[in-house]
Amino acid sequence: RKEVEQDPGPFNVPEGATVAFNCTYSNSASQSFFWYRQDCRKEPKLLMSVYSSGNEDGRFTAQLNRASQYISLLIRDSKLSDSATYLCVVFRMDSSYKLIFGSGTRLLVRP
Amino acid sequence: DTAVSQTPKYLVTQMGNDKSIKCEQNLGHDTMYWYKQDSKKFLKIMFSYNNKELIINETVPNRFSPKSPDKAHLNLHINSLELGDSAVYFCASSQPGQAPGNTIYFGEGSWLTVV
């Protein structure tokens, strides 16, 4: 079982739609959580951090459920430019100090 | 003014060859990484150096050898290339301890194709 799991998609939605992605993580020692965005043939870039109380950045809302060990990302009023792969990322500091990436969920927003 | 730059961006080479990918960061970060992203898009850490010292060495064939001449550079040398080495290799850097969490900056990637 992968340490961070995501539905690969693709999620194909019309402009203006609301779409939600979920991610589960298996290591309860995980400390910090992030969503990264990766465009086709580009490097991953930080979209937003995920805080326990939930947080919002414009049209994007991230939530964390530590008890169930899952993270979500909600995108409202989807734009064509939101088309990308969204990577769920978990950070834990045990014997190592590293980020663990999910394999990503692909989003396609159509006109 | 690229923060994390890696070269070459594209590399096509034959099986059995030896090749290197270079990486430099101008962010003043202490920690640098090499990640591999395979055809299934799974981004997996290979190595991490903190201030020239190896701190993460995942299960990677010993044909892969990282070298960090100083904390701003982390190069990746690959010996006896195999077809399965074809992937995108991302260099990255971060400054551990800076809130929030471990924000990491990636280079643009090096597309390696072994034929």
Side-chain angles (χ1 to χ4, degrees):
Chain A
R1 184 188 173 190
K2 294 187 179 72
E3 186 167 344
V4 178
E5 298 215 57
Q6 300 180 247
D7 181 344
F11 285 61
N12 192 325
V13 303
E15 267 189 294
T18 295
V19 62
F21 308 137
N22 288 329
C23 164
T24 58
Y25 61 95
S26 59
N27 193 322
S28 59
S30 301
Q31 296 173 282
S32 304
F33 309 89
F34 309 90
W35 284 101
Y36 275 69
R37 170 187 169 135
Q38 186 173 23
D39 291 294
C40 187
R41 302 185 71 79
K42 296 286 188 181
E43 73 274 23
K45 291 183 179 177
L46 178 67
L47 177 68
M48 60 194 301
S49 301
V50 186
Y51 301 120
S52 297
S53 54
N55 49 299
E56 194 172 302
D57 183 1
R59 298 181 293 109
F60 298 83
T61 301
Q63 295 208 315
L64 167 65
N65 184 321
R66 284 189 186 270
S68 302
Q69 295 184 195
Y70 84 81
I71 306 146
S72 65
L73 177 68
L74 183 77
I75 306 176
R76 290 182 299 278
D77 189 22
S78 299
K79 311 290 184 192
L80 295 177
S81 58
D82 293 335
S83 297
T85 297
Y86 291 83
L87 305 171
C88 175
V89 184
V90 168
F91 169 68
R92 57 179 170 84
M93 187 168 64
D94 38 35
S95 59
S96 61
Y97 196 84
K98 61 184 180 184
L99 293 174
I100 311 295
F101 286 79
S103 55
T105 298
R106 191 168 171 217
L107 172 65
L108 300 172
V109 181
R110 64 181 187 270
Chain B
D1 190 19
T2 306
V4 182
S5 58
Q6 52 184 110
T7 56
K9 184 162 185 177
Y10 300 101
L11 181 58
V12 180
T13 188
Q14 289 187 325
M15 282 175 57
N17 283 351
D18 303 338
K19 291 293 178 186
S20 293
I21 307 171
K22 296 185 177 181
C23 179
E24 176 181 4
Q25 54 96 2
N26 61 7
L27 296 166
H29 288 165
D30 286 339
T31 305
M32 294 186 72
Y33 310 81
W34 277 108
Y35 279 83
K36 178 181 179 181
Q37 190 168 40
D38 58 26
S39 58
K40 295 181 180 178
K41 308 300 183 186
F42 195 48
L43 194 67
K44 190 171 181 182
I45 191 167
M46 301 174 69
F47 301 103
S48 176
Y49 273 72
N50 187 61
N51 206 2
K52 302 194 298 176
E53 182 181 342
L54 181 66
I55 57 171
I56 296 174
N57 185 354
E58 294 295 291
T59 307
V60 175
N62 57 16
R63 297 182 295 104
F64 291 78
S65 54
K67 284 186 172 51
S68 182
D70 55 62
K71 75 173 192 178
H73 296 83
L74 180 61
N75 304 323
L76 182 65
H77 188 76
I78 315 171
N79 289 327
S80 303
L81 278 156
E82 300 177 356
L83 294 177
D85 297 333
S86 296
V88 185
Y89 293 84
F90 286 101
C91 177
S93 74
S94 71
Q95 190 69 358
Q98 284 188 351
N102 193 3
T103 305
I104 192 168
Y105 294 84
F106 286 88
E108 293 184 335
S110 294
W111 270 253
L112 172 64
T113 303
V114 182
V115 297

